[in-house]
Amino acid sequence: MLAYMIRRLVILLLSLFLAAIVLFVLLRLLPGDPANALVGVGATPEQIAAAQAQLGSDQPLAAQFVKYLRDIVQLDLGNSFVSRASVLDEISRRLSVTLPLTLASFVLALLIAVPFGILAAVKSDRWYGLLLSVVSQVGIAVPVFWLGILLVYEFSLNLRWLPSGGFPLRGYADPARAVQSMILPVLTISIVMSASLMRYVRAATLEVLGSDFLRTARALGESHTGALMRHGIRNGAVPVISVLGIELSTAFLGAVVVEQVFSLPGMGSMLLLGIQQRDYPSIQGVLIVSTLLVLMTGFLADLLQRVLDPRLRQGGKQ
Amino acid sequence: MSTASTAFPRRSKRINITFWLGLVLVGGISLAGILSLFWTPYALSDMAGGRLEAPNASHWAGTDRLGRDMFTQLMIGARIALIVGCGAVGIGAAIGVTTGLLAAFATRFLDDALAAFMDILIAFPTLLVAMLVVAAREESSLGTAILALGIGVSPIIARITRILTKQVLGQDYIIAARVSGTSWGAIVFWHILPNIVPFLAVNLALQFGLAVMAEASLSYLGLGAPPPNASWGHMLHEAQGTVYTAPWGAILPGLALFALVIGINLLADGLRDRFDPSRRDM
Amino acid sequence: MADLLTVSGLSLKTADKLLVEDLSFSIGQGERFGLIGESGSGKSLTSFAILGLLPASIRPTGSITLGGEQIVGASERRLSSLRGDAVACVFQEPLTALDPLMPLGRQIAGPVRRRLKREGIDSSRAAVKREVRVLMEQVRLPDPQRLFDAYPHEVSGGQRQRVAIAMALACQPRLLIADEPTTALDVTTQAEIVQLINALVADLGISLLFISHDLAVVGQVAERVMVMRNGRPVEIGTAQQVLTKPHDDYTRNLVAAARRFDAALEGGA
């Protein structure tokens, strides 16, 4: 297990390194010199040269890359061109919206998907079991931003139950309004996500239901429910956990889009704003932190799966 | 017996229904997209109607806030969606299938390295990278989005190609062909491709749906191509502000996108059942 | 004394197919009965019918009585109390028949705990563990200390099948069904497992329903045998008579084929 963890950690670091290279290249591919964006239109050549010196973009690429890596390792993401504020501070402020949104959606999606996915499999011969699998099949094709708009139309504009968007200026210091403005975004993401999770849960449950070891348990006197509890949950969980990492990342990316629907001040809107304003440090910061979060999630999901499945543990030692 | 045991896979008529339903949805949207090349009810920029008209006899899907015909836009959106899907999947398959085959045939070390590289790329937040690539151009164009999404889906296609190829390579008939001196090129062409294409096709169909959805997200975020290459995502972007007065403007483009994606998924499911009934429930 | 298991006029059908037709046989207390047939002959389905574990799509008609209880049409509740108590089963493929994520000791402990509870004896953790150890010794599992915490993929096929037998014995059933228990094993291990089943059944006075396509193996175990083909009974009689002087053409072919095979093996050796 330890050997595997080390190996997996090396892979994680390699992925991060690779991601850093990709982002570095992509950002250098952006048209124009960031220095131009820093000083604005109509600047004198001297001003541009000064800005280039300040940003280091007059240095050779290799030197720029080393500085870039060193900054990332030191968690120094620079300052925004537009607001001059620290990008890291801005990101942590924005994460306080995006992370709760992502996690709440993820948990709600699990709470919907696990019981209904199991039900869809166990009762696959009944009309409601069939209906559940059809619903999940349909649900994965729903565009998340479209669902958001429809929910706003119905619950904010027609029924006037909830705010159509925005986030209280005082943030969580105004808990009632903060929660209110999160309800629709969370629902939006979790509905779409639970549909795809439900398919995995259903498939895993069907696999367990058809398994020989469940039959063995029942042939030796265990009740159907008892056998499912004793053998089914763990065996069913392993394949589901392998997709949870990806699903959590999907929820995070969904949040980026859904923030736009509900005008939430999260990571997604920061990235979009950064792109519109050519605010390179902000763009770079958001992408680095997002990639870090996504890769870490995958890492944790892999470890969890190892803990549950002894066959994988053994494979890791070899 | 009341408790169902599913030890025996059942094949039902439902398979055919999903397949045909998928074909009808995808076929209908494709026809509308192709037709838009030759005929649309109005010209795209023709402000032929009043502002935000509800669907009526002369504007089947209503009009937008400038009085332009929505049905025309929907038809053109269908064309854009097809171009995006085919383009992205085409690029993705060109890169992915080549890399996948290469990895499967490569030495152990190169194979491991490529496989690890694919896994890393798959973990990448494709949409974010696509946002950046699209933003990298001063003027967002359809071509950039297609390229970005094509590159985005290629590692998944590569991984699947690699796995499928390795499965086929382990079969006795390949070993027999090798022993009898068949060249590698002939093995790939006559034995491997015919065996992996059905399963690959299913996966490419799913990637098609993902690419169309991702492009719509980009356009919805305002990063898509401007008219005349505007997609359904762009229409949603435009319609959101007037959703209270003109809900159909937001409902119809989303519905079209939803119908195309679900149609593709159903087709893929139907195909998979044809090729491999044992994996019906995955 | 009445027979332990009586199957009479049993038919199994799906919506459009007849899988087993008009099957009748009985097994007495302590008797060892063999069911022979090629794959697809319906022998495994018959064992599922006796366990009351048929898939929902297969409908049984006729009668199966086990220790005086009717199984065809019985409620799931009734059936689940019969399973383990009256009948237990060992299946063909021990790798998939065991839970891949549970240590072997805990898997054996499951049926042990159920039986102790049923009999109202001390079912504390320690008592269960003690009983598991006894069972592991009974099926001659080496190094029980290590195997107790091992997972199925970590032990050999023969050891897995011994664990499966231990689990079945843990129930102390009156009838043990062994459904092709040796087919997935290599020849040497096969012989050991057959010996083990024989010895245990004799020691504990359990009735045995031994299902196999392999005439030689059935011949080592069963006192009486029935041959099935395409879901229908072909011939029934003592093992001695059926395997040496078969009446039916099909059985005769089977026996002749098995003999030729043996002869070829010996000739080649």
Side-chain angles (χ1 to χ4, degrees):
Chain A
M1 190 69 189
L2 189 69
Y4 172 76
M5 273 184 75
I6 293 168
R7 217 178 65 143
R8 189 63 184 74
L9 209 62
V10 170
I11 291 180
L12 177 69
L13 291 175
L14 271 178
S15 321
L16 285 173
F17 183 67
L18 195 75
I21 293 177
V22 171
L23 291 180
F24 180 80
V25 172
L26 277 177
L27 286 163
R28 298 312 125 170
L29 283 181
L30 288 177
D33 193 309
N36 291 334
L38 180 62
V39 290
V41 191
T44 61
E46 288 76 32
Q47 283 174 310
I48 293 178
Q52 278 177 340
Q54 186 196 332
L55 294 173
S57 60
D58 54 347
Q59 301 283 314
L61 270 184
Q64 285 188 41
F65 184 64
V66 170
K67 179 179 182 305
Y68 159 86
L69 276 187
R70 204 177 48 223
D71 286 349
I72 291 181
V73 171
Q74 293 169 347
L75 274 179
D76 175 5
L77 299 178
N79 291 323
S80 159
F81 285 176
V82 180
S83 66
R84 315 275 160 175
S86 152
V87 168
L88 193 65
D89 289 350
E90 180 68 14
I91 286 177
S92 59
R93 200 160 39 245
R94 301 257 179 179
L95 273 180
S96 75
V97 174
T98 304
L99 276 189
L101 173 61
T102 306
L103 292 176
S105 307
F106 181 68
V107 170
L108 184 60
L110 272 180
L111 288 179
I112 300 171
V114 171
F116 283 115
I118 292 176
L119 195 68
V122 174
K123 301 290 177 190
S124 62
D125 54 340
R126 302 291 181 81
W127 66 266
Y128 51 91
L130 207 64
L131 182 73
L132 279 174
S133 41
V134 170
V135 166
S136 70
Q137 177 84 271
V138 169
I140 54 166
V142 173
V144 63
F145 45 95
W146 183 53
L147 181 67
I149 296 173
L150 295 184
L151 289 180
V152 166
Y153 175 69
E154 189 56 32
F155 293 101
S156 307
L157 302 176
N158 269 347
L159 297 171
R160 297 185 184 279
W161 286 354
L162 292 161
S164 65
F167 198 68
L169 270 178
R170 292 193 294 131
Y172 295 99
D174 189 353
R177 282 202 47 209
V179 169
Q180 271 186 354
S181 50
M182 282 288 199
I183 292 178
L184 283 182
V186 167
L187 270 181
T188 306
I189 302 175
S190 55
I191 287 174
V192 172
M193 207 167 111
S194 60
S196 91
L197 268 178
M198 217 172 105
R199 276 164 54 106
Y200 291 115
V201 173
R202 176 173 175 272
T205 312
L206 281 177
E207 181 93 27
V208 168
L209 284 175
S211 69
D212 286 358
F213 57 82
L214 201 76
R215 187 185 61 188
T216 307
R218 294 192 62 200
L220 301 181
E222 187 100 74
S223 71
H224 193 232
T225 323
L228 262 184
M229 298 292 274
R230 189 168 146 88
H231 302 283
I233 291 176
R234 218 174 146 96
N235 277 284
V238 170
V240 173
I241 282 171
S242 71
V243 299
L244 281 191
I246 298 166
E247 289 288 318
L248 188 57
S249 310
T250 313
F252 182 77
L253 296 179
V256 165
V257 179
V258 167
E259 278 166 13
Q260 211 49 39
V261 180
F262 295 94
S263 358
L264 290 174
M267 294 276 279
S269 39
M270 181 173 173
L271 179 61
L272 208 57
L273 202 67
I275 286 173
Q276 281 156 4
Q277 299 177 332
R278 304 264 163 214
D279 185 356
Y280 296 89
S282 293
I283 301 175
Q284 177 182 307
V286 171
L287 289 178
I288 289 171
V289 172
S290 311
T291 311
L292 185 71
L293 287 175
V294 168
L295 291 175
M296 290 283 287
T297 312
F299 174 67
L300 290 178
D302 272 15
L303 283 192
L304 188 57
Q305 207 182 1
R306 295 265 153 170
V307 169
L308 281 181
D309 193 337
R311 289 166 297 183
L312 293 176
R313 285 209 289 276
Q314 201 193 33
K317 277 180 209 153
Q318 286 163 354
Chain B
M1 221 163 69
S2 62
T3 44
S5 162
T6 36
F8 293 80
R10 285 168 301 167
R11 295 201 63 177
S12 66
K13 297 275 188 288
R14 203 158 63 87
I15 298 166
N16 289 325
I17 296 170
T18 57
F19 181 78
W20 289 112
L21 190 62
L23 202 63
V24 168
L25 287 173
V26 176
I29 291 169
S30 305
L31 277 181
I34 293 166
L35 183 62
S36 76
L37 286 170
F38 310 105
W39 176 85
T40 48
Y42 296 87
L44 184 60
S45 52
D46 183 2
M47 298 178 216
R51 294 177 171 201
L52 297 176
E53 275 183 39
N56 57 50
S58 48
H59 297 284
W60 301 331
T63 58
D64 69 5
R65 63 195 159 85
L66 296 176
R68 292 173 302 193
D69 183 52
M70 291 283 280
F71 196 80
T72 303
Q73 294 182 41
L74 283 174
M75 281 176 73
I76 291 170
R79 182 170 82 208
I80 302 300
L82 292 174
I83 293 173
V84 167
C86 294
V89 166
I91 293 170
I95 304 173
V97 172
T98 317
T99 323
L101 282 173
L102 196 68
F105 278 100
T107 55
R108 176 82 199 275
F109 175 76
L110 186 61
D111 179 33
D112 282 352
L114 279 173
F117 190 64
M118 288 172 206
D119 282 348
I120 290 169
L121 286 182
I122 287 170
F124 243 68
T126 314
L127 183 64
L128 292 189
V129 176
M131 277 171 83
L132 192 63
V133 172
V134 172
R137 295 304 198 78
E138 291 291 351
E139 201 151 294
S140 34
S141 79
L142 201 57
T144 327
I146 292 174
L147 187 65
L149 293 170
I151 295 170
V153 296
S154 61
I156 302 179
I157 297 172
R159 177 156 77 175
I160 292 194
T161 306
R162 173 178 169 269
I163 294 171
L164 288 172
T165 308
K166 290 206 118 176
Q167 276 171 3
V168 176
L169 275 178
Q171 300 288 324
D172 289 345
Y173 60 86
I174 298 288
I175 296 164
R178 284 170 63 182
V179 169
S180 68
T182 316
S183 75
W184 277 118
I187 287 178
V188 170
F189 195 76
W190 292 112
H191 296 291
I192 294 180
L193 285 179
N195 276 294
I196 68 172
V197 157
F199 300 98
L200 207 54
V202 171
N203 190 264
L204 291 184
L206 295 175
Q207 300 306 323
F208 183 101
L210 287 180
V212 170
M213 192 79 110
E215 195 283 328
S217 302
L218 284 176
S219 284
Y220 170 73
L221 292 175
L223 299 174
N229 285 330
S231 71
W232 292 325
H234 180 79
M235 292 176 75
L236 276 164
H237 175 80
E238 296 283 304
Q240 192 188 354
T242 54
V243 65
Y244 190 59
T245 13
W248 58 88
I251 290 173
L252 291 175
L255 204 60
L257 178 58
F258 170 61
L260 179 60
V261 174
I262 199 167
I264 285 281
N265 287 352
L266 290 177
L267 266 185
D269 277 8
L271 283 176
R272 175 164 46 210
D273 295 337
R274 296 256 157 117
F275 302 133
D276 185 4
S278 66
R279 281 185 45 188
R280 233 193 75 198
D281 292 306
M282 277 312 288
Chain C
M1 198 165 66
D3 285 328
L4 176 63
L5 174 78
T6 309
V7 175
S8 64
L10 178 72
S11 295
L12 303 174
K13 54 186 100 153
T14 60
D16 49 5
K17 225 169 141 193
L18 192 59
L19 300 168
V20 167
E21 193 181 355
D22 197 19
L23 200 63
S24 301
F25 63 93
S26 58
I27 303 178
Q29 297 283 357
E31 189 185 14
R32 299 188 307 247
F33 189 85
L35 198 53
I36 302 172
E38 55 199 23
S39 53
S41 61
K43 48 193 198 318
S44 283
L45 281 178
T46 306
S47 76
F48 288 139
I50 297 169
L51 289 161
L53 281 178
L54 285 172
S57 52
I58 299 179
R59 224 168 52 81
T61 53
S63 152
I64 302 172
T65 54
L66 181 62
E69 283 232 32
Q70 179 59 245
I71 286 181
V72 176
S75 72
E76 176 58 28
R77 223 189 137 87
R78 214 38 241 130
L79 286 171
S80 110
S81 72
L82 275 175
R83 287 183 218 125
D85 183 13
V87 58
C89 193
V90 176
F91 293 105
Q92 175 173 349
E93 179 45 75
L95 182 59
T96 54
L98 299 176
D99 184 338
L101 305 185
M102 196 181 268
L104 298 172
R106 277 191 60 204
Q107 304 211 36
I108 305 175
V112 168
R113 191 174 309 110
R114 270 197 299 284
R115 175 172 60 79
L116 295 184
K117 278 204 179 128
R118 190 173 65 223
E119 294 176 350
I121 328 174
D122 172 24
S123 61
S124 66
R125 201 174 268 262
V128 170
K129 193 162 181 180
R130 200 161 47 235
E131 180 67 24
V132 171
R133 284 292 168 74
V134 171
L135 282 161
M136 289 177 86
E137 251 167 66
Q138 235 178 344
V139 297
R140 280 157 230 156
L141 273 169
D143 197 1
Q145 197 72 40
R146 184 179 68 81
L147 290 188
F148 192 90
D149 292 318
Y151 289 93
H153 70 276
E154 295 171 334
V155 304
S156 72
Q159 287 171 344
R160 282 195 284 265
Q161 198 58 291
R162 284 168 199 271
V163 171
I165 295 170
M167 286 170 71
L169 290 182
C171 303
Q172 297 192 352
R174 281 173 283 165
L175 172 68
L176 177 69
I177 300 178
D179 187 354
E180 300 261 10
T182 60
T183 310
L185 306 172
D186 64 70
V187 179
T188 347
T189 323
Q190 271 188 16
E192 288 170 19
I193 294 292
V194 167
Q195 261 177 18
L196 178 70
I197 292 178
N198 255 340
L200 289 171
V201 167
D203 282 356
L204 303 169
I206 304 174
S207 308
L208 176 70
L209 171 58
F210 193 96
I211 299 174
S212 180
H213 67 280
D214 189 333
L215 293 180
V217 172
V218 177
Q220 291 169 40
V221 178
E223 298 153 347
R224 278 198 313 135
V225 300
M226 180 164 85
V227 181
M228 279 179 80
R229 188 192 188 189
N230 296 334
R232 269 182 225 103
V234 169
E235 184 162 4
I236 187 165
T238 63
Q240 175 76 17
Q241 176 257 310
V242 173
L243 298 182
T244 54
K245 293 187 282 293
H247 294 308
D248 184 86
D249 279 346
Y250 175 68
T251 322
R252 216 166 304 168
N253 280 337
L254 275 185
V255 171
R259 283 223 186 94
R260 270 199 304 279
F261 186 64
D262 282 347
L265 275 185
E266 277 160 24

